[in-house]
Amino acid sequence: MLRPRIPTMPTPTGIVAPIVHSAPIEQQHQAAACACQHPAPVRAMPAVRLSPAGLLAVVGGGAAVVLVVGAVLVSLLLAVAVTAASVAVCAVVLRSMVNNPRHR
C-alpha cells in the first residue's frame, strides 16, 4: 500500500528517456606555479563612469521620481478620506430621514 507503483502505459510512445547515472566527482589538483612571467591581471574598470554633472542629473531625477510618487500616494489617500467622509455624511442623512417620520 505504501510502496510507489510505476504506471504502465497501454500504448508505448516510442520515446525512451535515458537513465542518468551520477558519476563520482573527481577533485582537481592545482597546478604548480610555472617559472615563466605572466603579465599582471588587468583590473576591470567600472561599467559606468559619471561626471559630476551626470551624477547631479541622476540624483535630481531620483528626487523628482520620489516626489512624484509621493504626490500620487498622498492624492490617493486624500481621495479615500474624502470618499469616507461623504459616505459618513450620507449615512447620517439617511438615518435622519428614516427616523424623522416617527417624530412628526
Side-chain angles (χ1 to χ4, degrees), residues 10 20 22-23 28 35 42 44-45 48 53-55 57 72-73 77-78 80 86 91 99 102:
V20 179
S22 61
Q28 297 178 355
V42 179
M45 297 297 289
V48 178
L55 184 62
V72 168
L73 292 176
L77 183 64
L78 182 63
V80 168
S86 65
N99 289 336
R102 293 185 206 162

Side-chain angles (χ1 to χ4, degrees), residues 10-81:
T11 56
T13 59
I15 300 172
V16 178
I19 298 175
V20 179
H21 295 288
S22 61
I25 299 173
E26 297 178 14
Q27 293 185 1
Q28 297 178 355
H29 299 285
Q30 263 187 339
C34 61
C36 59
Q37 294 182 351
H38 295 285
V42 179
R43 289 181 22 182
M45 297 297 289
V48 178
R49 293 190 67 132
L50 291 175
S51 65
L55 184 62
L56 285 176
V58 169
V59 169
V65 167
V66 167
L67 289 175
V68 167
V69 169
V72 168
L73 292 176
V74 167
S75 65
L76 286 173
L77 183 64
L78 182 63
V80 168

